Amino acid sequence: MSDAALHERINTEQSLFINGRWSESASGRRFPVFNPATGQVVAHVSDGDAADARRAVDAAYAAFPQWSRLPAYRRGVMLRQAAALMYERRDELARTLTLEMGKPIREARGEISYAASFLEWFAGEGERAYGDIIPPMAPGKRHLVLKQPVGVVAAITPWNFPAAMVTRKVAPALAAGCTVVLKPAEQTPLTAMALMDIFAEAGVPPGVINLVTTNDPAAVADAWLSDHRVRKITFTGSTEVGKLLMRKAADQVKRVSLELGGHAPVIVFDDADVDKAVRGTMASKFRNSGQTCVCANRIYVQKGIYERFAEKFTAAVRNLRVGDGLSEDAEVGPLVDEAALEKVTAHVEDAVARGAELLAGGRRVTEGELARGWFFLPTVLAGVRDDMRIMREETFGPVAPLIPFEHEAEAYERANDSPYGLAAYVFTENISRGIRAAERLEYGIIGLNDGTPSTAQVPFGGFKESGIGREGGPYGIHEFLEVKLVGLAVDEEPR
Ligand code: SIN
């Protein structure tokens, strides 16, 4: 697809998808979407408000009885068809995604496949959402356990994976028989819009999935949180917003799934294969320009291997090609917006002011074409201490702090010293140490010699303030199912 055609497709005034039709917001207002690589506006989309949010719930609520009664197999056929369409349109979707979010186009194609894989996986999981028959204690009793969809689900998705975080929520919800109202991040509504067309073409009936784009996320979220017809909120985003949603959801005891912030430690032991450790840490740290919840934030390296690791890691970081995500050879794209750039800059400046040493990068790109966008150079910091902001707060950028440590127990203690508990990484060639580390670390995801452990088939979610619930794998669909007991009293057989 040419850029002109792409622009025409996404520069639409009608970006609310409600009851199977595109429409404008009630207010008629629109808001701009920017290309983070150039700072230019790529589209204006409808700015939905509380009235639009309620209209979306009307549609989802009306569609629920029929959709939930459809055999899971039939729902699965539509999800598989949606996945097939995503693979078919992978390049076009990836381009839209990169245009609004900035990630390198090769990563964007990978994300589209990752996103489609949730549709395929949950198509099958819907068919396997078995109930139970429990052996009774007393004669004349029978116990059946049914699994039923929770009802209308409100999904609130982040900008860092504009396709995959939509399907990771929507696929299990639809497979379970729920209907959905979806609000994508204000930075990245375009990919979500393209997905609505795909669901419709795959045969998903009107009202089953509805999209409200908005520049006022609180207004839309509040409308859904105060609506009794919405039975579940599923959210990926910051811990701060997650806590707010959880407090408000408590008023109606709505079910919640929250995938929140992280501050992932990496532990590189003396006995690690240093090349493997560098590769794994690079993958974890620089995927999506450091803008994932599972990105390495603190890299603890045991003293015996520290110098070798720091040298090889810094060399690899200096070799990364920073560029406009639309260029085929870019490895690190821009940050999503000005606020992100300011935060990353502030973290690096704070660390340097308190005595950290810059081994690579350390500043915004100010030369050439890239100066127009929100680019930050891939950065390595040494001499980092626990009192620096970067060691406590999620940086969400391409900055890698290195910290030496002496003993195994010290590594676990320092790694666990965080309110977050999403992902942790361990590099060691000693299997016993690897198992010990996996058991001792208070994190929901452990990458053991593996910098990229996420896939559709496995649980994704955090301990502590990193969230509640799991997405992906067999665990993912249970978040959208109620468990119902049917107790039966059975008369004795007549003599
Ligand atoms: C996230 O950053 O929230 C998702 C990362 C992943 O799926 O690996």
Side-chain angles (χ1 to χ4, degrees), residues 83-388:
L85 290 169
M86 287 186 74
Y87 289 124
E88 204 176 292
R89 296 185 197 157
R90 196 167 82 125
D91 286 350
E92 177 189 326
L93 289 167
R95 243 183 118 67
T96 302
L97 195 158
T98 292
L99 207 60
E100 66 178 345
M101 190 268 143
K103 74 175 59 176
I105 189 77
R106 284 187 288 171
E107 275 192 48
R109 289 190 199 109
E111 182 183 334
I112 299 302
S113 300
Y114 182 40
S117 74
F118 287 106
L119 297 169
E120 289 175 310
W121 167 262
F122 282 110
E125 282 305 285
E127 292 167 25
R128 291 185 286 274
Y130 305 133
D132 294 302
I133 298 177
I134 297 179
M137 281 285 285
K141 283 283 202 179
R142 303 290 185 276
H143 310 300
L144 313 185
V145 177
L146 310 183
K147 305 271 178 68
Q148 293 189 317
V150 299
V152 175
V153 170
I156 302 179
T157 54
W159 51 261
N160 62 342
F161 288 86
M165 297 305 104
V166 169
T167 55
R168 187 147 84 184
K169 294 179 186 313
V170 165
L174 297 190
C178 299
T179 54
V180 175
V181 289
L182 168 69
K183 186 204 79 60
E186 52 277 27
Q187 293 93 336
T188 56
L190 307 176
T191 307
M193 288 164 61
L195 293 180
M196 293 304 109
D197 280 339
I198 284 180
F199 283 119
E201 278 179 61
V204 175
V208 170
I209 177 154
N210 307 276
L211 175 78
V212 179
T213 55
T214 183
N215 202 22
D216 186 358
V220 170
D222 283 347
W224 289 344
L225 280 156
S226 59
D227 192 323
H228 281 93
R229 297 171 300 173
V230 175
R231 292 309 316 144
K232 159 128 197 157
I233 305 282
T234 173
F235 168 73
T236 295
S238 71
T239 294
E240 194 190 343
V241 174
K243 286 179 184 177
L244 269 175
L245 295 176
M246 195 172 167
R247 277 189 206 110
K248 292 186 178 178
D251 277 348
Q252 294 178 359
V253 197
K254 287 191 200 300
R255 297 179 59 162
V256 292
S257 295
L258 304 171
E259 298 300 339
L260 307 178
H263 203 269
V266 176
I267 303 175
V268 183
F269 285 108
D270 277 348
D271 56 28
D273 172 327
V274 73
D275 293 320
K276 213 192 271 179
V278 167
R279 268 199 312 278
T281 309
M282 292 289 291
S284 164
K285 177 68 260 182
F286 294 101
R287 173 174 173 228
N288 208 8
S289 308
Q291 301 173 108
T292 81
C293 305
V294 289
C295 271
N297 275 262
R298 296 168 280 153
I299 304 166
Y300 297 102
V301 189
Q302 206 163 10
K303 285 228 163 109
I305 200 175
Y306 183 88
E307 290 304 331
R308 268 194 309 143
F309 179 89
E311 194 181 313
K312 288 194 172 204
F313 183 74
T314 305
V317 172
R318 287 204 181 117
N319 268 337
L320 286 170
R321 283 187 299 271
V322 180
D324 185 331
L326 288 176
S327 114
E328 277 301 328
D329 62 358
E331 292 174 310
V332 175
L335 296 173
V336 72
D337 57 21
E338 189 81 44
L341 188 68
E342 278 167 13
K343 183 176 185 194
V344 173
T345 308
H347 278 200
V348 172
E349 284 177 358
D350 170 77
V352 172
R354 290 167 191 257
E357 182 192 353
L358 269 177
L359 300 184
R363 63 174 176 85
R364 177 183 191 160
V365 178
T366 48
E367 307 84 23
E369 291 272 284
L370 301 190
R372 295 181 304 161
W374 299 305
F375 290 89
F376 197 88
L377 287 173
T379 296
V380 184
L381 289 167
V384 177
R385 288 194 323 266
D386 288 345
D387 62 342
M388 298 173 178

Side-chain angles (χ1 to χ4, degrees), residues 346-483:
H347 278 200
V348 172
E349 284 177 358
D350 170 77
V352 172
R354 290 167 191 257
E357 182 192 353
L358 269 177
L359 300 184
R363 63 174 176 85
R364 177 183 191 160
V365 178
T366 48
E367 307 84 23
E369 291 272 284
L370 301 190
R372 295 181 304 161
W374 299 305
F375 290 89
F376 197 88
L377 287 173
T379 296
V380 184
L381 289 167
V384 177
R385 288 194 323 266
D386 288 345
D387 62 342
M388 298 173 178
R389 282 183 70 187
I390 202 154
M391 291 294 279
R392 301 269 143 211
E393 299 169 31
E394 205 176 13
T395 306
F396 241 61
V399 184
L402 304 184
I403 309 108
F405 73 93
E406 304 242 12
H407 308 296
E408 188 175 327
E410 176 200 345
Y412 303 145
E413 197 179 314
R414 294 180 76 177
N416 285 337
D417 179 20
S418 168
Y420 296 110
L422 186 54
Y425 303 87
V426 177
F427 293 91
T428 176
E429 292 297 302
N430 177 327
I431 183 137
S432 298
R433 183 174 255 171
I435 296 292
R436 278 199 300 276
E439 289 171 355
R440 288 283 306 277
L441 291 167
E442 296 163 357
Y443 288 82
I445 301 165
I446 308 290
L448 197 46
N449 292 325
D450 183 1
T452 49
S454 323
T455 73
Q457 298 76 15
V458 300
F460 185 102
F463 287 16
K464 301 196 248 178
E465 295 189 19
S466 285
I468 288 184
R470 293 294 179 271
E471 295 187 324
Y475 310 86
I477 197 159
H478 293 294
E479 302 281 328
F480 298 94
L481 292 167
E482 287 286 11
V483 173

